[in-house]
Amino acid sequence: MLSLAYFVSHPIQYQAPLLRLIAADPEIDLKVFFYSDFSLKAYKDTGFGRLIEWDVPLTEGYNYHFLDCWGNKQRQSWLQQPIAKDIVSQLKKEKFDAVWVHGWSWFCSIQAILAANQLGIPVLLRGESNGISEATNSVKKRVKKVFVDWLFEKIAGFLCIGTYNRQFYQSYGVEEKRLFCVPYAVDNDYFQKQALLAHTNREELRRSLGLDPTRPIILYAAKLIEVKRPQDLLSAYRLLSCDGVQEPEPYLLFVGDGVLRPTLEAQAKETGWQSIRFLGFRNQSEMPAMYDLCDVFVLPSSFEPWGLAVNEVMNAGRAVVVTDQVGCAPDLVIQGQNGQIYPVGNVAALAEAIRWAIANRASAGDISLKQIQKWSYQEDLQGLKQALNYCR
């Protein structure tokens, strides 16, 4: 059995099921080290603009430890974040065979990498960098290259979450033998089962929201903030009207909260249509019902390192529309089959993509469900084991 230390900022709803799966594997002895516990209780999420308290278990089913840290535990900015006091002592005490670190934007992550190097423990790195939105300032680019080159020399293996992420590592000269596929996945079994359960209550949910069962539904589920570009979706939706006056046939549902909500609601009110609804923040356990309710899911972000909501909705067998700046696009969205990829900010192209998705929603949904089966926690576990064996 290999002993593995995993360092990550805080308990994350998307990661908890994967950590339970790894912990249950007889070949891996996993211990998770968190820098902060802020996500275990209600906390102010600046993007949603409200208090968030997750309603799914975040620390059950695996061994974990909260590091003893100085500083702000929620990382308000790059300079305001925790610094760990006890990483070296923790690694010395338990004699780990490998250290796995998630990302490098936290001081504690850099500390963990340096501590492991100091103790001769191989390091695996998994992050979200994808090269989609690289700095254009020449000084920033040079500084980043110097830092990344310095960091990557200290890494034994890179756990790639997808195509863009792999290409990012390759652009910095990382050899193929150090790259392992550990895809960004969600708990497919959970979301498929919950979607099936939600299906039995779909008509009741439709009635409660006052939705005509004969009309298709377009769903947006993300923070209502500038980088997510919900305003593009609202503008594209208006183009679906046959004459700019009559309501489009599909409904448009916005799930989420954020600073743009008042502006979007005002713009929606100007249309005079009753087909645009703002449903507010929905917790993790409520999302499968939202996915089951819709026909087409749209993620119009100008920058999205991955977009795990796309994984989730594909488990409900739905058509997806994303921009070319969404990290999961080349791996999950098969152009013209289960969805459409359109140029970010191109509202006319978005409207056409939605028209296609609505017209082809049944076949596209079937392909989404088949496609997501290949992108699961089982592939994560397999890739992680390959990386661990490489480091032995």
Side-chain angles (χ1 to χ4, degrees):
M1 179 182 283
L2 288 171
S3 181
L4 174 65
Y6 176 43
F7 288 85
V8 64
S9 55
H10 61 282
I12 299 170
Q13 73 274 19
Y14 292 115
Q15 293 192 9
L18 174 60
L19 297 179
R20 285 192 280 272
L21 179 68
I22 296 169
D25 191 281
E27 297 176 25
I28 301 174
D29 180 17
L30 175 70
K31 184 165 184 179
V32 181
F33 292 91
F34 295 115
Y35 318 150
S36 171
D37 64 353
F38 74 84
S39 58
L40 295 184
K41 47 192 177 289
Y43 67 96
K44 180 68 178 289
D45 186 293
T46 53
F48 280 123
R50 52 163 288 155
L51 281 176
I52 301 295
E53 187 168 11
W54 297 111
D55 63 355
V56 291
L58 300 182
T59 55
E60 291 179 10
Y62 58 89
N63 188 16
Y64 64 91
H65 171 79
F66 288 100
L67 292 169
D68 184 12
C69 295
W70 291 294
N72 190 303
K73 298 296 177 68
Q74 200 172 332
R75 192 175 178 269
Q76 302 292 341
S77 69
W78 189 77
L79 291 173
Q80 292 180 296
Q81 56 173 298
I83 298 175
K85 306 175 189 177
D86 58 340
I87 290 179
V88 172
S89 62
Q90 290 291 337
L91 291 179
K92 278 183 176 178
K93 183 169 66 176
E94 307 208 29
K95 296 182 170 54
F96 292 98
D97 296 301
V99 164
W100 167 20
V101 178
H102 185 74
W104 62 81
S105 63
W106 291 68
F107 290 152
C108 293
S109 299
I110 304 299
Q111 286 182 274
I113 292 168
L114 295 176
N117 277 204
Q118 177 187 330
L119 298 171
I121 306 171
V123 177
L124 302 175
L125 180 67
R126 190 184 193 217
E128 298 180 347
S129 295
N130 55 27
I132 292 176
S133 182
E134 288 289 271
T136 53
N137 181 289
S138 59
V139 175
K140 285 184 179 179
K141 286 176 76 171
R142 283 198 297 271
V143 170
K144 180 176 181 179
K145 184 172 188 333
V146 169
F147 172 75
V148 172
D149 286 342
W150 169 83
L151 181 71
F152 284 5
E153 287 176 355
K154 296 164 173 50
I155 308 301
F158 296 79
L159 310 181
C160 305
I161 66 169
T163 298
Y164 286 152
N165 187 229
R166 178 181 286 267
Q167 290 172 353
F168 173 81
Y169 295 136
Q170 289 170 332
S171 74
Y172 280 91
V174 177
E175 311 94 321
E176 197 65 30
K177 66 180 181 180
R178 292 200 290 157
L179 299 174
F180 302 90
C181 182
V182 183
Y184 242 20
V186 299
D187 189 344
N188 287 353
D189 289 343
Y190 169 83
F191 279 100
Q192 287 174 29
K193 287 173 184 173
Q194 293 303 116
L196 284 173
L197 287 172
H199 183 75
T200 61
N201 298 313
R202 183 194 296 169
E203 296 314 312
E204 183 182 335
L205 179 58
R206 276 182 178 269
R207 281 195 298 272
S208 72
L209 296 173
L211 303 176
D212 181 338
T214 66
R215 295 171 67 176
I217 293 172
I218 303 161
L219 176 67
Y220 171 101
K223 295 174 181 178
L224 298 174
I225 56 178
E226 186 61 41
V227 73
K228 306 288 185 180
R229 299 190 71 87
Q231 67 274 21
D232 286 356
L233 177 54
L234 183 56
S235 297
Y237 180 72
R238 297 179 75 156
L239 294 179
L240 300 183
S241 169
C242 61
D243 57 5
V245 177
Q246 295 183 60
E247 280 186 358
E249 182 196 6
Y251 290 104
L252 174 58
L253 306 185
F254 285 97
V255 170
D257 248 319
V259 293
L260 292 181
R261 181 170 176 175
T263 302
L264 292 165
E265 287 183 322
Q267 291 172 349
K269 190 174 181 180
E270 287 173 6
T271 65
W273 300 338
Q274 302 303 308
S275 54
I276 307 168
R277 309 292 175 82
F278 292 85
L279 305 184
F281 172 79
R282 298 292 172 120
N283 218 313
Q284 195 74 352
S285 66
E286 299 175 275
M287 288 311 300
M290 295 292 105
Y291 298 142
D292 173 72
L293 186 65
C294 80
D295 296 281
V296 176
F297 180 83
V298 181
L299 188 57
S301 303
S302 60
F303 176 65
E304 195 76 49
W306 183 260
L308 285 167
V310 176
N311 299 61
E312 293 176 351
V313 77
M314 284 174 65
N315 276 291
R318 296 298 183 264
V320 289
V321 175
V322 304
T323 73
D324 54 5
Q325 301 300 299
V326 173
C328 70
D331 298 294
L332 299 186
V333 185
I334 309 170
Q335 183 77 359
Q337 293 191 40
N338 74 316
Q340 293 282 323
I341 304 167
Y342 73 95
V344 65
N346 189 328
V347 171
L350 173 53
E352 282 305 310
I354 293 171
R355 286 192 184 97
W356 178 92
I358 289 171
N360 296 277
R361 57 189 182 272
S363 60
D366 289 343
I367 295 169
S368 277
L369 192 54
K370 289 175 186 172
Q371 176 73 357
I372 203 64
Q373 310 298 341
K374 311 168 192 172
W375 210 261
S376 73
Y377 286 159
Q378 294 303 323
E379 282 76 29
D380 286 337
L381 185 57
Q382 182 181 347
L384 178 60
K385 285 183 177 181
Q386 290 171 351
L388 289 170
N389 288 328
Y390 170 78
C391 291
R392 294 177 80 165

